[in-house]
Amino acid sequence: MASGDKIRVLIVDDVTETRENIRKLLQFESDVEVAGMARTGKEAIQISLDANPDVILMDINMPDMDGIAATEAIRSRQPAVQVVILSVQNDQNYMRRAMLAGARDFLTKPSVGDELISAIRRAGVIAQSERAKVAAAQPVAPAGGVASAGFSYGARGKVITVYSPKGGVGCTTLAVNLAVVLNNDDTRVALVDANLQFGNVAIFVNEQGKNSIADLAPRVDELDVEIVEEVMIKHAASGVHILAAPSRPENAEKVTGDQLAKILEFLRQIYAYVIVDTSSYLTDNTLAAIDESDLIILPTTQEIPSVISSQLFLGLLQTLGTERERVLFVMNRFDKRINITPERVAENLKQEVVAIIPLDEQTVVKAVNQGVPFMPESRGQPAGRGILQLAEKVRARVSALEADGEADRKDRR
Ligand SMILES: Nc1ncnc2c1ncn2[C@@H]1O[C@H](COP(=O)(O)OP(=O)(O)OP(=O)(O)O)[C@@H](O)[C@H]1O
Ligand SMILES: [Mg+2]
């Protein structure tokens, strides 16, 4: 730590007296400074962004969002910020969840002054050395830093757009089922329907007619967790949060490319994966989503028009400066009787086919007509195995990009 730099602390607790007691205690430490105070999890996220503290002292039980969820949200946006959880319960389960969310330390309340101060100092040293590392090693800094218990600290959420220049090849099918498979307690998934005119993600999960992206568009410059949570549809069976397309096609034009980009940028701060479904027509919105993406999933079928359109699109991506390793080329509706094989397509387009999803009408068509994603139930069926293969490739590609320190296209520009 650079000598003379005070450790800046944010105190988060819903009880005024607790906040004040901690603040008074810290007043006596010459190397510590209170950078702010927050009363709720949501307030903590906002104040942390504004004040950019080194250390956050975080209560667990708070009225709106609990301290663990807030920790996860803050750590994904501000990887250098270190969180020390203060809990009334000395509960193993809480402790484990806190660590998974990216907390640095866990103290039981009421904690003695000395114990608290040394935890702050330890966390402060780490925060400041994380910041120094990022500043010093710009070109090759390993994004994300330390990984613990399978949770990649500090990694920003990844935007993954599913796009095909040919319609009807399975973008929505892939986007929906991939979202279901990638979503779990540690990696929360948002599914965005950017097929603004005739998007049907909500129909795939039988949640139509609710809020949509058109409700967020006018508020893109004042987004906060609360506004976003209000608009997202929570798909109960899978836990995936869905940002639906406007329910009427004439409302599509209410969302501009610029607004969509801002929405995706915000969502990636709260979700580990933001999966974007698109229409085959290349609109401003689709280009904005592609531009915002860490990965692009490009499905093709074994039909010449689809293969040729894919080739044209790969050429366009090259012109846009998108590297080939950001594209996951997928063969959908694969039928082994057709002699346009994945190998031949890959060779012709000079783009590896990373996953093959068989033609499996029994699984896929039934699911869409029932409005129930076929994952995870049909994981043993041909289409289900294909989706699992794709999910593995997504995870592997994300880790590879992170290891390259290049996970974020925006940061590299
Ligand atoms: N692997 C598969 N096996 C059988 N049927 C499939 C498979 N994948 C998709 N389908 C079917 O193909 C049709 C088109 O799929 P989907 O709607 O996902 O494509 P899309 O690319 O999103 O289309 P659009 O351009 O209309 O948005 C649907 O009827 C779907 O059930
Ligand atoms: Mg579609």
Side-chain angles (χ1 to χ4, degrees):
M1 188 191 326
S3 58
D5 280 358
K6 288 193 180 191
I7 304 171
R8 304 179 64 253
V9 178
L10 168 61
I11 304 166
V12 186
D13 203 300
D14 58 333
V15 181
T16 311
E17 200 190 331
T18 312
R19 285 196 308 274
E20 276 306 310
N21 286 343
I22 298 178
R23 195 181 62 80
K24 282 184 199 143
L25 180 76
L26 299 186
Q27 265 177 1
F28 298 104
E29 304 304 318
S30 56
D31 56 341
V32 175
E33 177 183 279
V34 175
M37 304 214 265
R39 293 162 303 164
T40 72
K42 283 178 183 166
E43 213 175 88
I45 296 174
Q46 208 59 53
I47 295 179
S48 176
L49 261 188
D50 296 339
N52 197 21
D54 297 305
V55 177
I56 300 180
L57 300 177
M58 181 81 84
D59 183 25
I60 291 195
N61 292 315
M62 288 180 290
D64 55 358
M65 175 192 266
D66 77 21
I68 291 175
T71 298
E72 190 164 355
I74 289 168
R75 295 273 311 159
S76 69
R77 291 165 152 202
Q78 298 173 284
V81 176
Q82 303 298 313
V83 179
V84 175
I85 300 268
L86 300 179
S87 166
V88 269
Q89 280 139 308
N90 186 6
D91 180 312
Q92 278 293 325
N93 188 35
Y94 267 170
M95 218 180 274
R96 202 185 66 84
R97 282 179 51 217
M99 294 302 163
L100 279 173
R104 167 66 48 191
D105 214 335
F106 190 102
L107 301 180
T108 320
K109 284 200 275 196
S111 53
V112 249
D114 283 352
E115 189 190 22
L116 185 63
I117 308 259
S118 24
I120 292 174
R121 291 208 175 102
R122 277 196 305 271
V125 170
I126 294 166
Q128 294 183 352
S129 89
E130 287 288 301
R131 287 196 217 287
K133 250 195 277 174
V134 173
Q138 281 299 11
V140 281
V146 217
S148 160
F151 187 86
S152 177
Y153 279 160
R156 290 211 306 158
K158 301 294 174 282
V159 176
I160 303 174
T161 294
V162 187
Y163 173 77
S164 157
K166 172 88 171 60
V169 301
C171 288
T172 308
T173 304
L174 264 49
V176 167
N177 288 285
L178 183 65
V180 171
V181 170
L182 289 176
N183 185 69
N184 61 47
D185 285 349
D186 297 331
T187 57
R188 304 266 317 282
V189 176
L191 175 57
V192 177
D193 195 342
N195 181 350
L196 296 173
Q197 276 194 331
F198 294 104
N200 47 14
V201 167
I203 299 171
F204 271 59
V205 296
N206 198 20
E207 299 272 7
Q208 54 270 49
K210 305 193 176 150
N211 300 331
S212 85
I213 191 165
D215 300 306
L216 278 191
R219 303 156 89 177
V220 287
D221 291 317
E222 49 174 55
L223 290 182
D224 66 30
V225 178
E226 205 162 352
I227 295 178
V228 170
E229 292 233 318
E230 226 175 74
V231 175
M232 303 291 284
I233 298 171
K234 279 109 197 150
H235 182 238
S238 67
V240 172
H241 288 189
I242 295 162
L243 187 55
S247 50
R248 298 160 64 93
E250 60 268 33
N251 288 338
E253 59 202 40
K254 291 192 175 158
V255 186
T256 67
D258 188 41
Q259 289 170 329
L260 178 63
K262 284 183 178 163
I263 291 170
L264 296 178
E265 192 54 39
F266 190 85
L267 290 177
R268 72 153 86 217
Q269 293 169 1
I270 19 187
Y271 295 92
Y273 294 101
V274 180
I275 301 193
V276 188
D277 184 27
T278 56
S279 74
S280 55
Y281 188 64
L282 257 190
T283 58
D284 267 2
N285 287 286
T286 306
L287 283 169
I290 288 173
D291 193 46
E292 194 66 36
S293 293
D294 298 282
L295 292 178
I296 295 152
I297 294 178
L298 170 62
T300 184
T301 59
Q302 288 160 295
E303 290 161 314
I304 296 291
S306 173
V307 175
I308 290 180
S309 307
S310 299
Q311 185 168 31
L312 289 172
F313 177 61
L314 286 169
L316 177 70
L317 284 182
Q318 193 160 4
T319 315
L320 294 174
T322 306
E323 305 91 332
R324 288 249 163 158
E325 64 263 29
R326 292 186 181 273
V327 179
L328 294 174
F329 192 32
V330 177
M331 182 158 281
N332 188 27
R333 304 178 65 110
F334 171 68
D335 181 343
K336 58 177 184 297
R337 295 168 301 184
I338 298 174
N339 68 358
I340 301 180
T341 62
E343 294 77 20
R344 279 183 60 196
V345 173
E347 200 184 309
N348 268 306
L349 272 55
K350 309 261 174 301
Q351 180 79 35
E352 179 196 1
V353 174
V354 299
I356 298 172
I357 295 145
L359 177 72
D360 182 359
E361 276 169 347
Q362 208 177 338
T363 304
V364 180
V365 180
K366 192 174 106 204
V368 76
N369 285 339
Q370 290 180 342
V372 180
F374 60 79
M375 294 305 274
E377 280 66 31
S378 299
R379 57 186 170 273
Q381 300 305 313
R385 289 202 297 268
I387 295 287
L388 290 179
Q389 185 189 18
L390 176 59
E392 267 322 298
K393 295 291 162 138
V394 167
R395 291 195 190 97
R397 200 59 71 89
V398 164
S399 314
L401 289 170
E402 277 187 343
D404 279 354
E406 293 195 350
D408 202 319
R409 299 186 64 195
K410 290 245 140 164
D411 288 352
R412 283 182 303 116
R413 284 189 193 142

